[in-house]
Amino acid sequence: MTPGRLEAVLREAAARAFGLPPDEVPFVWPRHDQADGGADAATALAPRLVGKVAARLPPGGGRGRRHHVLVSGRVAAQLESMREEGLADFARVLGDGRGFLNITFTGEQRDALVAEAADGPRFLTGRDWVGEGEWPRTALHEAGPVAQARRLARADARGRIALATGPRTPPPGPGAAEVSWRDPYLDGDRGELLTPAARVLGAVGEDSARVAFCRSVPERPRDTETTGRDLPVLPSAEYPGAWVRLTDANPAFRLRHAHAHAVTRGRWTAEGAPPPAACPEHAAAVRGLLFDGPGVLDTAARREEPHILVRYLEALASAYDEWRACPHAAAGPAERGAPDPDTGTALPAAVAGVLRTGLFLLGVSAPTRL
């Protein structure tokens, strides 16, 4: 169950509950991070819908939580009816005191979500990337000051995100070809790196620089501003901070390493290595972040804020690292019973698909081998 499909089901249920045309129902992304009680997703549709259906509700109470809960109850009743009619499927739907509906998926829906996320472009945008045109990508070394290179990198990311989510079919995106760790500035000719912007590229590499430039919020940051311990917003050749390190202290390295690990793990399993065991709790955390990906990308596009995408990718990489390093996964499948559906190649492929696509939209390469 992808968030796009769930939103369409919720929209239809709301339209049926209140006799509205479906296009008059507000669009609200269902989110995992808003779910309660172990549910897979929650929707804030009812609070958004109250204003449109106020005349059809009992008088009194304004548009407070009592009406939110009433609206969500009617939508939930329609969801149950649609399930009986074979028009929807889920394990459970439960309202809460906020007026949100919490939806728990079936095992098959969870497996389908993970499988579809492996095709990152289609999963995140709901369509194939087969259109015409080129993805924006500026030569950052042509900038003078580091701040100018930052503006160019952020403009590239905004342009790529807008192209991916806009009305036209996006051009072809990241393919399955192998990508190395080599960097055009770290591993190329440094003789032309004369400006401050070019020298910082020669110090930290293009990929780390693009992540550094897109990770922070302000458009005009202070020279001393950071986005974390030893992570300057405007790294320089003299003070690159952790952006120069090939460790988890460097968010760019961590994202690219998580992608390379996910691809490599899937390759090893496909070549006959025993599939890893994983605890359901960590698998659910990864699956929840995967579910939130399309909504996060849409938000980053609407607000024109690439840092939203960067921080989401970091959260996904962290959840994947916790999944693969879970101490409960040390025992092999033979000791713990049948492998979890999210082990083997499915979950790593899903994480790789979303990370690869997200990095591509930031103009960052995604290595495929450790």
Side-chain angles (χ1 to χ4, degrees), residues 105-126:
F105 298 153
T106 65
E108 291 79 7
Q109 288 175 322
R110 290 171 176 171
D111 294 346
L113 168 70
V114 172
E116 292 192 44
D119 184 351
R122 167 166 276 279
F123 176 73
L124 290 174
T125 65

Side-chain angles (χ1 to χ4, degrees), residues 250-261:
N250 178 352
F253 174 82
R254 189 174 189 187
L255 291 175
R256 300 170 75 222
H257 183 270
H259 177 267
H261 188 284

Side-chain angles (χ1 to χ4, degrees), residues 343-364:
T343 61
T345 60
L347 200 66
V351 171
V354 173
L355 285 178
R356 179 168 58 252
T357 306
L359 288 169
F360 177 83
L361 293 175
L362 296 172
V364 176

Side-chain angles (χ1 to χ4, degrees), residues 147-241:
Q148 183 183 13
R150 180 178 182 269
R151 288 194 294 271
L152 293 174
R154 292 166 72 82
D156 283 349
R158 288 190 176 103
R160 294 166 82 95
I161 292 170
L163 193 53
T165 59
R168 293 188 299 131
T169 303
E178 290 202 4
V179 177
S180 76
W181 287 88
R182 294 183 64 83
D183 185 278
Y185 297 104
L186 291 176
D187 303 308
D189 182 9
R190 300 195 182 193
E192 300 298 322
L193 305 181
L194 304 177
T195 67
R199 288 199 299 272
V200 76
L201 292 169
V204 306
E206 180 175 17
D207 294 305
S208 286
R210 286 186 181 272
V211 174
F213 294 154
C214 290
R215 192 174 193 257
S216 58
V217 181
E219 289 304 310
R220 297 186 179 277
R222 300 184 302 273
D223 290 343
T224 58
E225 193 167 339
T226 66
T227 58
R229 184 176 181 180
D230 203 22
L231 293 172
V233 172
L234 295 171
S236 64
E238 295 72 28
Y239 175 47

Side-chain angles (χ1 to χ4, degrees), residues 60 69 85 101 110 113 124 131 136 141 175 189 207 256 297-298 327 352 363 370:
V69 172
E85 298 170 25
L101 286 179
R110 290 171 176 171
L113 168 70
L124 290 174
H141 69 272
D189 182 9
D207 294 305
R256 300 170 75 222
L297 181 60
D298 180 65
L370 292 173

